[in-house]
Amino acid sequence: MQIAMEIRVDDLNSPAIARLLREHLQSMRLLSPPESVHALDLEGLRKPEITFWSAWLEAELLGCGALMELDAGHGEIKSMRTGVAAGLMRHILEEAKRRCYRRLSLETGSMEAFAPARSLYTR
């Protein structure tokens, strides 16, 4: 029997999430010029205009993603850190559609390390 990945709204209080986000910020700081690090830390993600999801397989954290409302018709994808990116991206896109966003933005790096992310976002 195969167990499905569970994607759930997350309160950002688990140690596993804190570790993943620390690793994410550290990677972004290593891979990006200082003025181009747009990743948010735990406190930055706890804003009311941000919905944060985590993806789990039983007790194993697989990844995370967030959607920030910029205005009633515009959202921005934030904090994608994952080995299960396509599933999380579908989830975020479905939520953006449910919210009737006419525009969805994201920022990612132009360096080679970001090529897999750009490929995902292009699809």
Side-chain angles (χ1 to χ4, degrees):
M1 180 174 100
Q2 187 176 18
I3 298 171
M5 170 179 70
E6 177 189 1
I7 298 174
R8 60 184 181 229
V9 173
D10 197 292
D11 63 9
L12 295 154
N13 287 321
S14 85
I17 290 292
R19 274 191 306 277
L20 182 65
L21 289 172
R22 272 194 308 273
E23 290 171 12
H24 180 58
L25 281 169
Q26 183 179 25
S27 292
M28 296 302 98
R29 289 180 182 128
L30 289 172
L31 295 170
S32 304
E35 68 278 4
S36 293
V37 177
H38 303 287
L40 299 173
D41 62 12
L42 278 171
E43 290 311 308
L45 289 165
R46 286 189 172 119
K47 295 179 180 174
E49 65 271 19
I50 297 177
T51 304
F52 182 87
W53 293 275
S54 56
W56 299 83
L57 184 60
E58 295 183 343
E60 180 185 0
L61 176 61
L62 302 175
C64 64
L67 182 59
M68 179 169 64
E69 184 168 306
L70 299 175
D71 63 43
H74 185 191
E76 181 181 2
I77 297 169
K78 302 295 290 182
S79 298
M80 287 290 294
R81 184 70 174 189
T82 179
V84 290
L88 267 167
M89 181 59 70
R90 278 191 301 276
H91 186 84
I92 290 171
L93 291 173
E94 287 169 11
E95 178 63 17
K97 186 176 181 178
R98 188 190 69 73
R99 294 180 185 186
C100 299
Y101 288 165
R102 294 179 313 278
R103 181 176 176 197
L104 195 57
S105 303
L106 62 89
E107 294 193 33
T108 193
S110 59
M111 291 69 72
E112 186 59 31
F114 294 96
R118 289 192 307 275
S119 176
L120 170 70
Y121 301 144
T122 299
R123 285 183 297 208

